[in-house]
Amino acid sequence: MNPTVLLSTAVAVASAAYAFKPKKKTELEAKSVAVPAPKSYLPLQLDTVVAYIYDMLMGKDELEMLLKDMKQYGNTINFKGLNNDFIVVTDPSSIQHILAKNQPNYEKGPYFKGIFHDFLGSGIFNADGDTWKAQRQIARPHFQTSEFKDAALINKHVDQLLVVIDKHIASKPDAPLEVQNLYCRFTLDEASEFLFGATVDALKNEQTEFSTAFNYAQSLTAWRFRIPYWKYILPRRKLMTEIKKLDDFVYKIIDDARERQAARAQEKTKDENEENSRHDNLLDHFLSQQNEEGFDNKYLRDMLLNFLLAGRDTTASLLSWTTWKLVQHPKVMEKLHQEILQVIGPDRVPGYDDIKKLKYQKQVINEVLRLCPPVPINPRESVEEDVLPNGYYVPAGVAVAYCVYATHRLPELWGEDALEFDPDRWGPERVGKIRPFMFVPFHAGPRICLGQNLAYTTAQLALTRLLQRYDIKASPGFEPQQLGDIVMFSRNGVEVLISHKRPQSEI
């Protein structure tokens, strides 16, 4: 993708497509305050649009760019482009208003759904109204059961993660290890088994067809948010080729699950407990809940890929940034290791009940989620015109995004040390100062993340076993390049030096 061609095409298409349209203010708008907007000096805000796209192509950090703009324009900003509004809010009262108090007025909306439709179809994260409610209602019991609480499935994939790390140490003991890619493969395997009942085996084979296609689909979809008139500019043929690879894999999984279901229906002797024990993945759970009309394969495909996107990337992001923060703060890592030794021991494989006793570890993870939220910005679209609690006017049918990355870093909320990594702010003496909607890494309100408990459990089990087994240190000279995509990753990965811990008897 040539940056010059892409940029010039975007500008040409945008310039040709738009014209000025005078608009009469509504009564509510006349009584409200317009959201501040960065200054623009060209028609259709072409200068700001071009500057933004250029900065993205050059690899600049758009989240830090947002923080810089906030210092000038405040905590609510309208990033106008081509006469379209894109309002970003960061204050907790506005986030609460959007996610809870007036939640029906802020939907995913047709623009958001259009961007994601090729990839995610009409799945739960790309749906509104009755479609969203029905999928969430069916999925919720699977995430609320104790199926994953014995940690067997998670530990199974952690075992494979450790095998890959051991091989690296054996073959390249002095070379840094890029763990972000490793965590993505680990969580892809774990999430695919939890959802499908079949693992992708990404840890065993780094470049599986499924994982490569999944990464490409996500990357190109993220660019659709950034490029005006993306339908006419960004390539779709390649995207659809990669999505077909995802479909081929998922549809086979669905066909196999239907065959299993049919075979069970023919069994003569089967008690209720045995039947319930077999619903050990989300796909089987959905099939067991379907009505007489059933779910078609496209419905199931969309549902599975939606949950896979959330389940894989968010937990991989959390593990990646936790590892980075720990190597930057070795005293925190040592305190965390000592807690693990006291509660679990140097080598015992922990279970679900064990990690719930790791209070300091939970503080560390919450502090990582504060500074490095896996989903840094989340867009909605207003159904009707509205006024935010801070008095700013929101027109009907415009994009309104809440940016938790910025909210989690506001000094007026978190203190003058808001940018510092300090797990003690989550300790019993200070945690009471954290008010509702100050901390929303898993969102809030009716659409709060169903899988947050699973994410915490996966991250804590993996982190516990990594610190039991390895010494992890910073790789000299390495700095991650933050990428505010759909999920927040590092553009250049996360490199660390890793080695086996010495046995306790030798220390």
Side-chain angles (χ1 to χ4, degrees):
M1 186 181 297
N2 186 300
T4 303
V5 173
L6 181 60
L7 186 58
S8 59
T9 305
V11 173
V13 171
S15 300
Y18 269 85
F20 288 112
K21 290 183 180 180
K23 189 186 79 166
K24 185 178 179 180
K25 287 187 177 182
T26 67
E27 182 179 349
L28 184 61
E29 183 179 6
K31 295 179 180 179
S32 307
V33 180
V35 177
K39 292 181 180 179
S40 178
Y41 301 96
L42 291 178
L44 305 175
Q45 303 86 36
L46 283 176
D47 49 340
T48 58
V49 172
V50 170
Y52 170 74
I53 297 175
Y54 179 80
D55 286 341
M56 293 304 95
L57 292 172
M58 294 299 103
K60 288 193 176 181
D61 186 341
E62 57 192 311
L63 294 171
E64 288 299 315
M65 290 165 56
L66 171 61
L67 293 182
K68 182 179 178 181
D69 286 333
M70 285 172 54
K71 292 179 181 179
Q72 182 175 357
Y73 299 102
N75 292 345
T76 306
I77 309 176
N78 188 353
F79 292 98
K80 280 182 171 291
L82 307 180
N83 282 354
N84 286 327
D85 296 299
F86 186 84
I87 297 171
V88 177
V89 306
T90 59
D91 62 288
S93 62
S94 293
I95 295 175
Q96 183 179 27
H97 183 80
I98 291 168
L99 297 186
K101 290 185 175 180
N102 199 19
Q103 184 266 341
N105 192 55
Y106 294 93
E107 297 183 339
K108 292 290 185 177
Y111 182 73
F112 179 97
K113 288 187 281 190
I115 286 173
F116 268 105
H117 188 266
D118 288 333
F119 184 19
L120 298 182
S122 300
I124 189 169
F125 299 111
N126 204 35
D128 288 315
D130 292 340
T131 301
W132 164 74
K133 289 179 181 178
Q135 291 190 39
R136 187 176 176 91
Q137 183 176 0
I138 295 174
R140 183 188 292 113
H142 185 68
F143 287 91
Q144 292 178 336
T145 64
S146 60
E147 291 177 13
F148 66 89
K149 287 187 176 180
D150 64 359
L153 184 148
I154 299 171
N155 275 318
K156 167 186 170 182
H157 293 288
V158 176
D159 287 341
Q160 187 58 41
L161 173 67
L162 302 183
V163 168
V164 176
I165 296 175
D166 285 348
K167 288 181 178 178
H168 169 83
I169 295 174
S171 61
K172 302 176 182 178
D174 299 321
L177 174 64
E178 201 286 277
V179 293
Q180 180 175 270
N181 174 270
L182 200 55
Y183 292 147
C184 284
R185 292 156 58 195
F186 157 65
T187 54
L188 181 59
D189 282 351
E190 183 232 352
S192 60
E193 183 163 5
F194 182 79
L195 298 172
F196 306 160
T199 182
V200 176
D201 279 334
L203 278 171
K204 294 180 180 179
N205 180 5
E206 182 174 356
Q207 298 297 326
T208 67
E209 187 173 69
F210 183 93
S211 60
T212 302
F214 193 84
N215 291 338
Y216 180 86
Q218 180 178 339
S219 176
L220 192 66
T221 300
W223 271 102
R224 288 181 170 185
F225 278 105
R226 300 185 175 108
I227 303 296
Y229 293 96
W230 54 267
K231 290 182 179 180
Y232 309 104
I233 300 169
L234 294 176
R236 187 169 183 266
R237 182 177 297 180
K238 168 69 171 173
L239 173 65
M240 299 311 296
T241 299
E242 297 304 305
I243 287 177
K244 185 179 184 303
K245 296 175 183 177
L246 301 180
D247 292 348
D248 290 344
F249 180 88
V250 175
Y251 283 134
K252 183 180 186 306
I253 295 295
I254 293 172
D255 289 341
D256 290 346
R258 289 192 186 280
E259 289 180 7
R260 290 197 305 269
Q261 185 189 45
R264 290 171 189 167
Q266 294 177 358
E267 295 177 8
K268 299 296 183 182
T269 57
K270 181 188 341 176
D271 61 37
E272 184 177 351
N273 290 332
E274 180 185 359
E275 173 67 13
N276 288 337
S277 70
R278 290 183 176 183
H279 299 153
D280 55 357
N281 62 74
L282 188 63
L283 175 56
D284 282 349
H285 173 74
F286 260 71
L287 290 174
S288 73
Q289 297 297 311
Q290 64 187 351
N291 56 27
E292 292 181 0
E293 296 179 0
F295 299 133
D296 63 35
N297 281 9
K298 178 64 165 58
Y299 178 92
L300 293 170
R301 173 265 186 208
D302 292 350
M303 178 271 299
L304 291 172
L305 284 182
N306 275 250
F307 278 108
L308 184 62
L309 175 64
R312 184 199 84 152
D313 284 6
T314 54
T315 308
S317 170
L318 174 55
L319 282 169
S320 299
W321 291 113
T322 300
T323 301
W324 173 250
K325 292 297 184 184
L326 289 178
V327 299
Q328 294 299 300
H329 299 84
K331 290 183 179 179
V332 173
M333 180 153 49
E334 179 55 28
K335 184 175 180 179
L336 192 54
H337 181 234
Q338 289 302 317
E339 180 186 52
I340 292 170
L341 290 178
Q342 293 170 12
V343 174
I344 300 172
D347 49 23
R348 182 170 66 84
V349 175
Y352 180 83
D353 292 334
D354 292 316
I355 60 170
K356 296 306 153 189
K357 300 174 185 176
L358 298 173
K359 305 300 183 183
Y360 186 69
Q361 186 186 71
K362 185 69 173 290
Q363 291 176 212
V364 170
I365 288 178
N366 277 339
E367 183 68 347
V368 175
L369 287 169
R370 183 182 73 86
L371 289 172
C372 307
V375 182
I377 186 167
N378 203 308
R380 295 287 189 267
E381 185 172 310
S382 58
V383 178
E384 298 177 352
E385 63 176 352
D386 193 19
V387 177
L388 298 174
N390 54 18
Y392 286 123
Y393 174 74
V394 176
V398 304
V400 182
Y402 59 99
C403 181
V404 295
Y405 178 87
T407 303
H408 291 176
R409 292 166 176 251
L410 291 176
E412 57 264 41
L413 298 178
W414 301 93
E416 293 304 314
D417 65 344
L419 300 183
E420 295 180 13
F421 179 73
D422 182 11
D424 288 337
R425 75 175 76 243
W426 297 93
E429 295 180 357
R430 298 170 60 187
V431 71
K433 297 180 181 179
I434 300 173
R435 306 193 310 273
F437 294 87
M438 272 178 59
F439 180 67
V440 282
F442 294 104
H443 314 307
R447 296 191 80 131
I448 192 170
C449 177
L450 287 173
Q452 62 175 303
N453 195 20
L454 179 59
Y456 272 116
T457 302
T458 302
Q460 288 190 260
L461 282 170
L463 184 60
T464 297
R465 297 189 62 189
L466 287 169
L467 294 183
Q468 282 178 320
R469 192 178 185 91
Y470 304 111
D471 282 322
I472 308 174
K473 298 179 181 179
S475 178
F478 177 81
E479 287 287 338
Q481 298 172 9
Q482 189 170 277
L483 176 63
D485 238 333
I486 299 171
V487 174
M488 195 171 87
F489 280 119
S490 166
R491 194 185 304 273
N492 57 334
V494 175
E495 286 187 2
V496 297
L497 297 177
I498 191 164
S499 60
H500 286 290
K501 282 189 182 296
R502 293 167 55 195
Q504 289 292 303
S505 58
E506 297 180 11
I507 300 176

